[in-house]
Amino acid sequence: MRVLVVGAGGREHALCWALAASPLLTTLWCAPGNPGTAQVARNVPIGVQDVAALVTFARENAVDLVVPGPEAPLVAGLADALGLAGIACCGPSAAAARLEGSKSFAKSVCDAAGIPTARWERFSDATAARDFVRRRGAPIVVKADGLAAGKGVVVAASVAEAEAAIADFMQAHTLGEAGETVVIEECLFGEEASLFALCDGTHAIPFGAAQDHKRAGEGDTGPNTGGMGAYSPPPALTPALQQAGMDRIIRPALAELARQGTPFRGILYAGLILTADGPKLIEFNARLGDPEAQCLLPRLHSDLLPALLAACDGELRDFDLRWKPDATLAVVMAARGYPGTYARHTPIGDLRAAEAVPGALVFHAGTEMRDGQLVSSGGRVLTVCGSGPDLAAAHDAAYRAVAAIHWPDGFWRRDIGWRALAGDRNPKP
Ligand code: AMP
Ligand code: GLY
Protein backbone atom coordinates (compact mmCIF):
# COMPACT_ATOMS: atom_id res chain seq x y z
CA MET A 1 0.00 0.00 0.00
CA ARG A 2 1.15 3.49 -0.88
CA VAL A 3 -0.12 5.96 1.71
CA LEU A 4 -0.10 9.77 1.98
CA VAL A 5 -0.65 11.43 5.37
CA VAL A 6 -1.66 15.12 5.23
CA GLY A 7 -0.53 17.50 7.98
CA ALA A 8 2.52 18.77 9.82
CA GLY A 9 1.83 18.31 13.53
CA GLY A 10 2.38 15.84 16.32
CA ARG A 11 -0.85 14.04 15.38
CA GLU A 12 0.49 13.44 11.86
CA HIS A 13 3.86 12.26 13.20
CA ALA A 14 1.97 9.76 15.38
CA LEU A 15 -0.13 8.64 12.36
CA CYS A 16 3.03 8.17 10.27
CA TRP A 17 4.73 6.32 13.14
CA ALA A 18 1.76 3.92 13.46
CA LEU A 19 1.37 3.39 9.70
CA ALA A 20 5.11 2.79 9.26
CA ALA A 21 4.77 -0.31 11.45
CA SER A 22 2.28 -1.93 9.07
CA PRO A 23 3.54 -4.91 7.06
CA LEU A 24 1.10 -3.83 4.33
CA LEU A 25 2.92 -0.54 3.76
CA THR A 26 5.29 -0.08 0.83
CA THR A 27 5.70 3.71 0.66
CA LEU A 28 4.63 6.44 3.08
CA TRP A 29 4.58 10.15 2.29
CA CYS A 30 3.64 13.10 4.50
CA ALA A 31 2.56 16.50 3.14
CA PRO A 32 4.09 18.76 4.26
CA GLY A 33 5.34 16.82 7.31
CA ASN A 34 8.06 17.83 9.77
CA PRO A 35 11.48 16.49 10.84
CA GLY A 36 9.73 13.80 12.89
CA THR A 37 7.64 12.48 10.00
CA ALA A 38 10.83 12.56 7.89
CA GLN A 39 12.20 9.76 10.09
CA VAL A 40 9.45 7.35 8.96
CA ALA A 41 8.01 8.89 5.75
CA ARG A 42 9.06 10.97 2.77
CA ASN A 43 8.04 14.59 3.25
CA VAL A 44 6.37 16.31 0.29
CA PRO A 45 6.29 20.14 0.24
CA ILE A 46 2.55 20.61 -0.32
CA GLY A 47 0.42 22.62 2.12
CA VAL A 48 -2.58 21.01 3.83
CA GLN A 49 -5.05 23.38 2.12
CA ASP A 50 -3.72 22.86 -1.41
CA VAL A 51 -6.36 20.32 -2.40
CA ALA A 52 -5.53 20.40 -6.13
CA ALA A 53 -1.82 19.76 -5.56
CA LEU A 54 -2.53 16.96 -3.06
CA VAL A 55 -4.83 15.19 -5.54
CA THR A 56 -2.30 15.59 -8.36
CA PHE A 57 0.47 14.20 -6.18
CA ALA A 58 -1.68 11.25 -5.12
CA ARG A 59 -2.63 10.48 -8.72
CA GLU A 60 0.91 10.79 -10.11
CA ASN A 61 2.34 8.59 -7.37
CA ALA A 62 -0.39 5.92 -7.47
CA VAL A 63 -1.29 6.57 -3.82
CA ASP A 64 -3.76 3.94 -2.54
CA LEU A 65 -4.89 5.77 0.60
CA VAL A 66 -4.83 9.37 1.84
CA VAL A 67 -5.07 10.00 5.58
CA PRO A 68 -5.82 13.65 6.41
CA GLY A 69 -4.86 14.78 9.92
CA PRO A 70 -6.41 18.25 10.35
CA GLU A 71 -9.94 19.45 9.56
CA ALA A 72 -9.05 22.25 7.12
CA PRO A 73 -8.45 20.04 4.03
CA LEU A 74 -11.61 18.04 4.83
CA VAL A 75 -13.77 21.14 5.07
CA ALA A 76 -12.10 22.31 1.83
CA GLY A 77 -13.25 19.14 0.03
CA LEU A 78 -10.11 16.96 -0.10
CA ALA A 79 -12.06 13.71 0.33
CA ASP A 80 -14.52 14.72 -2.42
CA ALA A 81 -11.73 15.61 -4.86
CA LEU A 82 -9.87 12.36 -4.12
CA GLY A 83 -13.13 10.43 -4.55
CA LEU A 84 -13.57 11.90 -8.05
CA ALA A 85 -10.02 10.76 -8.83
CA GLY A 86 -10.80 7.26 -7.54
CA ILE A 87 -8.41 7.50 -4.58
CA ALA A 88 -9.46 6.29 -1.12
CA CYS A 89 -9.45 8.89 1.65
CA CYS A 90 -9.97 8.07 5.33
CA GLY A 91 -11.78 11.29 6.11
CA PRO A 92 -15.25 12.71 5.52
CA SER A 93 -16.60 14.63 2.53
CA ALA A 94 -16.97 18.39 2.92
CA ALA A 95 -20.69 17.88 3.54
CA ALA A 96 -20.09 15.41 6.40
CA ALA A 97 -17.18 17.49 7.78
CA ARG A 98 -19.75 20.25 8.49
CA LEU A 99 -20.24 18.34 11.75
CA GLU A 100 -17.05 20.17 12.76
CA GLY A 101 -17.13 23.13 10.36
CA SER A 102 -20.55 24.43 11.41
CA LYS A 103 -21.77 24.41 15.00
CA SER A 104 -25.37 24.98 13.91
CA PHE A 105 -25.19 22.05 11.47
CA ALA A 106 -23.84 19.80 14.26
CA LYS A 107 -26.66 20.98 16.54
CA SER A 108 -29.31 20.33 13.90
CA VAL A 109 -27.96 16.77 13.50
CA CYS A 110 -28.21 16.36 17.29
CA ASP A 111 -31.83 17.51 17.26
CA ALA A 112 -32.77 15.29 14.32
CA ALA A 113 -31.09 12.25 15.90
CA GLY A 114 -32.12 12.86 19.51
CA ILE A 115 -28.50 13.25 20.68
CA PRO A 116 -28.17 14.71 24.20
CA THR A 117 -26.60 18.17 24.01
CA ALA A 118 -27.06 21.68 25.43
CA ARG A 119 -30.25 23.50 24.36
CA TRP A 120 -29.36 26.03 21.69
CA GLU A 121 -30.50 28.75 19.34
CA ARG A 122 -28.82 30.23 16.22
CA PHE A 123 -28.65 33.99 15.50
CA SER A 124 -27.50 36.02 12.51
CA ASP A 125 -28.77 39.26 14.07
CA ALA A 126 -26.81 40.77 16.98
CA THR A 127 -29.83 42.52 18.53
CA ALA A 128 -31.83 39.31 18.62
CA ALA A 129 -28.81 37.49 20.10
CA ARG A 130 -28.49 40.13 22.84
CA ASP A 131 -32.21 40.00 23.64
CA PHE A 132 -32.00 36.23 23.95
CA VAL A 133 -29.01 36.44 26.33
CA ARG A 134 -30.80 39.05 28.48
CA ARG A 135 -33.89 36.86 28.65
CA ARG A 136 -31.95 33.69 29.50
CA GLY A 137 -29.36 35.18 31.90
CA ALA A 138 -25.91 33.84 32.75
CA PRO A 139 -24.00 31.56 32.75
CA ILE A 140 -24.50 31.10 29.03
CA VAL A 141 -22.27 30.00 26.14
CA VAL A 142 -21.71 32.05 22.95
CA LYS A 143 -20.14 30.24 19.97
CA ALA A 144 -19.10 31.45 16.55
CA ASP A 145 -20.89 29.20 14.05
CA GLY A 146 -17.85 28.62 11.80
CA LEU A 147 -14.30 27.28 12.26
CA ALA A 148 -12.36 29.61 14.56
CA ALA A 149 -9.23 27.66 15.57
CA GLY A 150 -10.35 27.28 19.18
CA LYS A 151 -11.11 31.01 19.62
CA GLY A 152 -14.81 30.90 18.88
CA VAL A 153 -16.29 29.84 22.24
CA VAL A 154 -17.01 32.10 25.21
CA VAL A 155 -18.41 30.51 28.36
CA ALA A 156 -19.87 33.73 29.80
CA ALA A 157 -20.23 34.04 33.57
CA SER A 158 -22.29 37.24 33.18
CA VAL A 159 -24.73 38.74 30.68
CA ALA A 160 -22.22 41.56 30.05
CA GLU A 161 -19.55 39.02 29.07
CA ALA A 162 -21.96 37.28 26.69
CA GLU A 163 -22.93 40.63 25.14
CA ALA A 164 -19.25 41.48 24.67
CA ALA A 165 -18.72 38.19 22.83
CA ILE A 166 -21.71 38.92 20.58
CA ALA A 167 -20.29 42.38 19.81
CA ASP A 168 -16.82 40.94 19.08
CA PHE A 169 -18.00 38.10 16.86
CA MET A 170 -20.95 39.71 15.06
CA GLN A 171 -20.15 43.43 14.95
CA ALA A 172 -16.36 43.82 15.25
CA HIS A 173 -15.93 40.66 13.08
CA THR A 174 -12.94 39.52 15.14
CA LEU A 175 -13.25 36.03 13.66
CA GLY A 176 -14.20 37.13 10.15
CA GLU A 177 -16.97 35.14 8.49
CA ALA A 178 -16.85 32.39 11.15
CA GLY A 179 -18.50 34.70 13.69
CA GLU A 180 -21.18 36.31 11.54
CA THR A 181 -23.70 33.85 12.90
CA VAL A 182 -23.54 32.56 16.45
CA VAL A 183 -24.96 29.66 18.39
CA ILE A 184 -26.01 30.52 21.94
CA GLU A 185 -26.46 27.60 24.25
CA GLU A 186 -27.21 26.48 27.76
CA CYS A 187 -24.14 26.14 30.02
CA LEU A 188 -23.52 22.55 31.10
CA PHE A 189 -21.45 21.41 34.08
CA GLY A 190 -19.26 18.34 34.45
CA GLU A 191 -15.91 16.80 33.63
CA GLU A 192 -14.99 16.77 29.92
CA ALA A 193 -13.63 13.80 27.98
CA SER A 194 -13.27 12.86 24.34
CA LEU A 195 -14.53 9.74 22.62
CA PHE A 196 -13.22 8.63 19.23
CA ALA A 197 -14.80 6.29 16.70
CA LEU A 198 -13.65 4.98 13.33
CA CYS A 199 -16.59 5.18 10.91
CA ASP A 200 -17.27 3.69 7.48
CA GLY A 201 -20.41 5.65 6.65
CA THR A 202 -22.71 3.13 8.31
CA HIS A 203 -20.81 1.40 11.11
CA ALA A 204 -18.70 2.84 13.90
CA ILE A 205 -16.12 1.07 16.04
CA PRO A 206 -14.55 2.57 19.17
CA PHE A 207 -11.18 4.22 18.57
CA GLY A 208 -10.32 5.01 22.17
CA ALA A 209 -10.98 7.80 24.62
CA ALA A 210 -8.82 10.54 26.13
CA GLN A 211 -8.88 13.68 28.20
CA ASP A 212 -6.91 16.74 27.21
CA HIS A 213 -5.81 19.97 28.87
CA LYS A 214 -6.74 22.96 26.72
CA ARG A 215 -5.50 25.80 28.95
CA ALA A 216 -1.91 27.03 28.77
CA GLY A 217 -1.42 27.27 32.53
CA GLU A 218 -1.13 24.78 35.35
CA GLY A 219 -4.32 23.99 37.26
CA ASP A 220 -6.18 24.45 33.93
CA THR A 221 -5.89 28.24 34.03
CA GLY A 222 -4.86 30.85 31.46
CA PRO A 223 -5.64 31.14 27.76
CA ASN A 224 -7.06 28.36 25.59
CA THR A 225 -4.63 26.49 23.34
CA GLY A 226 -4.79 23.69 20.81
CA GLY A 227 -4.03 21.34 23.72
CA MET A 228 -1.13 21.17 26.19
CA GLY A 229 -1.34 17.49 27.06
CA ALA A 230 -3.63 14.47 27.19
CA TYR A 231 -3.97 11.01 28.64
CA SER A 232 -5.71 7.76 27.82
CA PRO A 233 -7.75 5.95 28.96
CA PRO A 234 -9.54 8.66 30.96
CA PRO A 235 -10.72 7.23 34.30
CA ALA A 236 -13.80 9.51 34.24
CA LEU A 237 -15.06 8.06 30.94
CA THR A 238 -15.66 4.53 32.21
CA PRO A 239 -16.26 1.67 29.76
CA ALA A 240 -20.00 1.95 30.51
CA LEU A 241 -19.99 5.68 29.68
CA GLN A 242 -17.97 5.00 26.52
CA GLN A 243 -20.61 2.49 25.49
CA ALA A 244 -23.33 5.06 26.22
CA GLY A 245 -21.43 7.59 24.11
CA MET A 246 -21.22 5.14 21.19
CA ASP A 247 -24.92 4.22 21.44
CA ARG A 248 -26.47 7.61 22.17
CA ILE A 249 -24.12 10.02 20.39
CA ILE A 250 -21.78 8.49 17.76
CA ARG A 251 -24.12 5.92 16.17
CA PRO A 252 -27.19 8.21 15.98
CA ALA A 253 -25.06 10.94 14.36
CA LEU A 254 -23.75 8.44 11.81
CA ALA A 255 -27.26 7.21 11.05
CA GLU A 256 -28.58 10.75 10.61
CA LEU A 257 -25.76 11.73 8.22
CA ALA A 258 -26.34 8.57 6.18
CA ARG A 259 -30.07 9.36 6.09
CA GLN A 260 -29.26 12.85 4.76
CA GLY A 261 -27.19 11.28 1.97
CA THR A 262 -23.84 12.49 3.33
CA PRO A 263 -22.37 9.44 5.11
CA PHE A 264 -19.42 10.05 7.45
CA ARG A 265 -16.20 8.15 6.81
CA GLY A 266 -13.11 8.62 8.97
CA ILE A 267 -12.57 9.42 12.61
CA LEU A 268 -15.47 11.00 14.44
CA TYR A 269 -14.41 12.76 17.63
CA ALA A 270 -17.10 13.53 20.19
CA GLY A 271 -16.20 16.09 22.87
CA LEU A 272 -18.37 15.06 25.81
CA ILE A 273 -19.31 16.64 29.11
CA LEU A 274 -20.23 14.18 31.86
CA THR A 275 -23.24 15.85 33.43
CA ALA A 276 -25.42 14.61 36.28
CA ASP A 277 -27.88 13.51 33.53
CA GLY A 278 -25.25 11.44 31.69
CA PRO A 279 -22.83 12.27 28.87
CA LYS A 280 -23.83 15.15 26.60
CA LEU A 281 -22.21 16.32 23.40
CA ILE A 282 -20.20 19.57 23.50
CA GLU A 283 -18.89 19.38 19.95
CA PHE A 284 -18.05 17.03 17.10
CA ASN A 285 -14.75 17.04 15.26
CA ALA A 286 -14.21 15.27 11.96
CA ARG A 287 -10.69 14.00 12.74
CA LEU A 288 -8.37 12.77 15.46
CA GLY A 289 -7.43 15.24 18.19
CA ASP A 290 -3.97 16.69 18.73
CA PRO A 291 -2.44 15.75 21.24
CA GLU A 292 -5.04 12.99 21.79
CA ALA A 293 -3.78 11.04 18.75
CA GLN A 294 -0.29 10.92 20.28
CA CYS A 295 -1.87 9.14 23.30
CA LEU A 296 -4.27 6.89 21.38
CA LEU A 297 -2.06 5.52 18.61
CA PRO A 298 0.66 4.15 20.94
CA ARG A 299 -2.09 2.17 22.71
CA LEU A 300 -3.33 0.55 19.50
CA HIS A 301 -2.27 -3.08 19.31
CA SER A 302 -3.83 -3.84 15.90
CA ASP A 303 -2.38 -2.74 12.58
CA LEU A 304 -3.78 0.75 11.82
CA LEU A 305 -3.62 0.49 8.02
CA PRO A 306 -6.21 -2.28 7.41
CA ALA A 307 -8.58 -0.54 9.83
CA LEU A 308 -8.40 2.72 7.86
CA LEU A 309 -8.89 0.80 4.59
CA ALA A 310 -11.91 -1.03 6.02
CA ALA A 311 -13.38 2.38 6.96
CA CYS A 312 -12.95 3.55 3.35
CA ASP A 313 -14.48 0.31 1.99
CA GLY A 314 -17.55 0.30 4.26
CA GLU A 315 -16.34 -2.90 5.92
CA LEU A 316 -16.12 -2.04 9.60
CA ARG A 317 -19.12 -4.09 10.69
CA ASP A 318 -17.12 -7.19 11.54
CA PHE A 319 -13.87 -5.37 12.19
CA ASP A 320 -12.25 -5.62 15.57
CA LEU A 321 -9.49 -3.36 16.88
CA ARG A 322 -7.34 -4.56 19.75
CA TRP A 323 -5.84 -2.16 22.28
CA LYS A 324 -2.96 -2.56 24.68
CA PRO A 325 -3.86 -2.49 28.37
CA ASP A 326 -1.26 0.29 28.88
CA ALA A 327 -2.06 3.85 29.83
CA THR A 328 -0.44 6.77 28.02
CA LEU A 329 0.13 10.39 28.97
CA ALA A 330 1.40 13.06 26.57
CA VAL A 331 3.04 16.37 27.45
CA VAL A 332 3.17 19.17 24.87
CA MET A 333 6.34 21.26 24.85
CA ALA A 334 5.52 24.71 23.48
CA ALA A 335 7.45 27.88 22.67
CA ARG A 336 7.54 30.38 25.56
CA GLY A 337 4.72 32.87 24.98
CA TYR A 338 2.39 30.40 23.18
CA PRO A 339 -0.55 30.83 22.51
CA GLY A 340 0.44 34.53 22.29
CA THR A 341 3.55 35.72 20.48
CA TYR A 342 6.70 33.60 20.70
CA ALA A 343 10.15 33.36 19.16
CA ARG A 344 10.87 30.93 16.32
CA HIS A 345 14.05 29.12 15.36
CA THR A 346 15.26 28.60 18.92
CA PRO A 347 17.64 25.61 19.18
CA ILE A 348 16.44 22.32 20.64
CA GLY A 349 19.00 19.91 22.06
CA ASP A 350 19.55 16.31 21.03
CA LEU A 351 16.38 14.25 21.49
CA ARG A 352 18.10 10.86 21.68
CA ALA A 353 18.31 10.78 25.48
CA ALA A 354 14.55 11.46 25.69
CA GLU A 355 13.77 8.83 23.06
CA ALA A 356 15.87 6.32 25.03
CA VAL A 357 13.68 6.61 28.15
CA PRO A 358 11.80 3.29 28.41
CA GLY A 359 8.16 3.73 27.39
CA ALA A 360 8.71 7.21 25.92
CA LEU A 361 8.04 8.47 22.39
CA VAL A 362 8.86 11.94 21.10
CA PHE A 363 6.58 13.30 18.37
CA HIS A 364 7.49 16.45 16.44
CA ALA A 365 5.09 19.29 15.61
CA GLY A 366 6.56 22.79 15.10
CA THR A 367 10.17 21.78 14.47
CA GLU A 368 12.54 22.39 11.58
CA MET A 369 16.11 21.44 10.66
CA ARG A 370 18.38 24.46 9.99
CA ASP A 371 22.01 23.79 9.09
CA GLY A 372 21.89 20.44 10.81
CA GLN A 373 20.37 21.87 14.01
CA LEU A 374 16.85 21.08 15.21
CA VAL A 375 15.02 24.36 15.92
CA SER A 376 11.48 25.35 16.83
CA SER A 377 9.21 26.64 14.07
CA GLY A 378 5.79 26.92 15.71
CA GLY A 379 3.86 27.26 18.97
CA ARG A 380 3.37 23.63 19.88
CA VAL A 381 6.76 22.11 19.15
CA LEU A 382 7.04 18.57 20.57
CA THR A 383 4.67 16.04 22.16
CA VAL A 384 6.35 13.63 24.55
CA CYS A 385 4.25 10.54 25.23
CA GLY A 386 4.88 8.09 28.05
CA SER A 387 3.38 4.59 28.29
CA GLY A 388 3.11 2.32 31.30
CA PRO A 389 0.92 -0.18 33.09
CA ASP A 390 -1.05 2.67 34.70
CA LEU A 391 -1.34 6.44 34.38
CA ALA A 392 1.19 7.08 37.15
CA ALA A 393 3.81 5.03 35.28
CA ALA A 394 2.92 6.73 31.99
CA HIS A 395 3.27 10.10 33.72
CA ASP A 396 6.70 9.20 35.07
CA ALA A 397 7.97 7.99 31.67
CA ALA A 398 6.70 11.13 29.91
CA TYR A 399 8.19 13.57 32.41
CA ARG A 400 11.51 11.70 32.58
CA ALA A 401 11.78 12.11 28.81
CA VAL A 402 10.75 15.79 28.98
CA ALA A 403 13.49 16.38 31.56
CA ALA A 404 16.05 14.90 29.16
CA ILE A 405 15.26 17.53 26.48
CA HIS A 406 17.36 20.68 26.54
CA TRP A 407 15.24 23.53 25.17
CA PRO A 408 15.61 26.72 27.25
CA ASP A 409 13.04 28.59 25.12
CA GLY A 410 10.30 26.04 25.69
CA PHE A 411 7.71 25.55 28.42
CA TRP A 412 5.31 22.77 29.34
CA ARG A 413 2.72 22.08 31.99
CA ARG A 414 4.03 19.97 34.86
CA ASP A 415 0.56 18.83 35.89
CA ILE A 416 -0.80 16.88 32.91
CA GLY A 417 -3.22 14.25 34.21
CA TRP A 418 -3.53 15.86 37.64
CA ARG A 419 -7.23 15.18 38.04
CA ALA A 420 -6.96 11.51 37.06
CA LEU A 421 -3.76 10.95 39.04
CA ALA A 422 -5.26 12.44 42.19
CA GLY A 423 -8.11 9.96 41.72
CA ASP A 424 -5.69 7.05 41.18
CA ARG A 425 -3.54 7.83 44.16
CA ASN A 426 -6.27 8.76 46.64
CA PRO A 427 -9.26 6.73 45.59
CA LYS A 428 -12.47 8.09 47.05
CA PRO A 429 -14.36 5.69 49.34
P1 AMP B 1 -15.80 23.79 21.78
O1 AMP B 1 -14.90 24.57 20.89
O2 AMP B 1 -17.22 23.69 21.32
O3 AMP B 1 -15.19 22.46 22.17
O4 AMP B 1 -15.82 24.54 23.17
C1 AMP B 1 -14.62 24.83 23.85
C2 AMP B 1 -14.83 24.63 25.33
O5 AMP B 1 -15.88 25.47 25.79
C3 AMP B 1 -15.26 23.22 25.69
O6 AMP B 1 -14.19 22.35 25.80
C4 AMP B 1 -15.98 23.47 27.01
O7 AMP B 1 -15.03 23.57 28.06
C5 AMP B 1 -16.61 24.81 26.82
N1 AMP B 1 -18.01 24.68 26.43
C6 AMP B 1 -18.52 24.61 25.18
N2 AMP B 1 -19.87 24.48 25.20
C7 AMP B 1 -20.23 24.45 26.49
C8 AMP B 1 -21.49 24.34 27.19
N3 AMP B 1 -22.64 24.25 26.52
N4 AMP B 1 -21.48 24.35 28.53
C9 AMP B 1 -20.31 24.48 29.23
N5 AMP B 1 -19.11 24.58 28.64
C10 AMP B 1 -19.06 24.58 27.29
N1 GLY C 1 -7.00 18.70 21.39
C1 GLY C 1 -8.22 19.18 20.86
C2 GLY C 1 -8.38 19.05 19.42
O1 GLY C 1 -7.60 18.43 18.71
O2 GLY C 1 -9.36 19.58 18.91
Side-chain angles (χ1 to χ4, degrees), residues 11 212 214 226-227 269 283 285 287-292 380:
R11 166 181 51 207
D212 75 338
K214 290 204 174 72
Y269 160 165
E283 63 161 354
N285 293 310
R287 53 172 173 81
L288 276 170
D290 184 337
E292 291 91 333
R380 290 194 294 171

Side-chain angles (χ1 to χ4, degrees), residues 103 118 141 143 153 155 185-188 192 214 282-283:
K103 304 259 186 219
V141 183
K143 299 186 173 184
V153 176
V155 180
E185 60 180 50
E186 165 197 14
C187 189
L188 300 174
E192 289 177 47
K214 290 204 174 72
I282 293 270
E283 63 161 354

Side-chain angles (χ1 to χ4, degrees), residues 1 16 27 70-71 82 95 108 218 241 298 317-318 341 350 407 422:
M1 299 298 300
C16 287
T27 311
E71 65 280 11
L82 288 165
S108 68
E218 287 171 10
L241 287 174
R317 196 177 58 169
D318 301 313
T341 52
D350 192 346
W407 181 34

Side-chain angles (χ1 to χ4, degrees), residues 19-364:
L19 289 167
S22 173
L24 298 177
L25 185 80
T26 47
T27 311
L28 182 62
W29 293 272
C30 188
N34 62 39
T37 64
Q39 295 166 8
V40 285
R42 295 188 208 165
N43 286 350
V44 184
I46 304 176
V48 301
Q49 302 255 44
D50 195 345
V51 169
L54 291 168
V55 175
T56 302
F57 178 87
R59 202 189 293 117
E60 287 176 353
N61 292 279
V63 167
D64 297 298
L65 172 69
V66 175
V67 184
E71 65 280 11
L74 296 167
V75 172
L78 178 61
D80 308 80
L82 288 165
L84 290 174
I87 299 165
C89 174
C90 192
S93 64
R98 281 187 301 158
L99 269 193
E100 172 162 6
S102 164
K103 304 259 186 219
S104 59
F105 176 74
K107 285 296 207 176
S108 68
V109 167
C110 288
D111 287 356
I115 293 170
T117 188
R119 278 174 296 150
W120 67 289
E121 202 100 26
R122 176 177 186 269
F123 296 93
S124 47
D125 175 70
T127 307
R130 259 192 299 272
D131 286 347
F132 181 77
V133 162
R134 285 180 197 149
R135 270 201 317 278
R136 281 293 161 90
I140 195 158
V141 183
V142 181
K143 299 186 173 184
D145 194 9
L147 278 182
K151 298 189 180 80
V153 176
V154 173
V155 180
S158 66
V159 168
E161 206 184 321
E163 289 187 22
I166 291 166
D168 283 352
F169 295 169
M170 303 184 80
Q171 289 167 316
H173 303 288
T174 50
L175 300 173
E177 241 176 76
E180 273 167 19
T181 58
V182 298
V183 165
I184 300 184
E185 60 180 50
E186 165 197 14
C187 189
L188 300 174
F189 299 93
E191 199 165 329
E192 289 177 47
S194 305
L195 183 64
F196 297 84
L198 181 62
C199 304
D200 71 0
T202 315
H203 314 105
I205 61 173
F207 202 80
Q211 266 175 306
D212 75 338
H213 294 268
K214 290 204 174 72
R215 304 298 196 95
E218 287 171 10
D220 296 317
T221 57
N224 250 321
T225 71
M228 294 300 291
Y231 48 95
S232 177
L237 197 58
T238 59
L241 287 174
Q242 290 185 35
Q243 185 65 50
M246 290 296 297
D247 292 343
R248 291 189 215 144
I249 294 172
I250 299 275
R251 292 199 171 101
L254 209 58
E256 174 58 21
L257 285 181
R259 194 192 64 76
Q260 292 187 13
T262 54
F264 187 99
R265 258 175 232 104
I267 297 276
L268 183 54
Y269 160 165
L272 307 180
I273 187 159
L274 308 177
T275 74
D277 301 327
K280 294 194 179 181
L281 183 82
I282 293 270
E283 63 161 354
F284 279 124
N285 293 310
R287 53 172 173 81
L288 276 170
D290 184 337
E292 291 91 333
Q294 295 92 303
C295 283
L296 294 176
L297 294 167
R299 294 189 56 230
L300 183 62
H301 186 74
S302 302
D303 186 350
L304 176 63
L305 185 44
L308 301 185
L309 290 169
C312 294
D313 293 342
E315 285 173 0
L316 281 182
R317 196 177 58 169
D318 301 313
F319 209 91
D320 189 28
L321 278 175
R322 283 183 303 140
W323 297 85
K324 298 176 189 166
D326 303 19
T328 50
L329 184 142
V331 180
V332 170
M333 299 179 77
R336 269 185 210 285
Y338 173 81
T341 52
Y342 50 82
R344 284 172 208 262
H345 305 136
T346 60
I348 302 167
D350 192 346
L351 298 179
R352 273 173 295 191
E355 286 162 345
V357 170
L361 290 164
V362 179
F363 295 114
H364 290 238

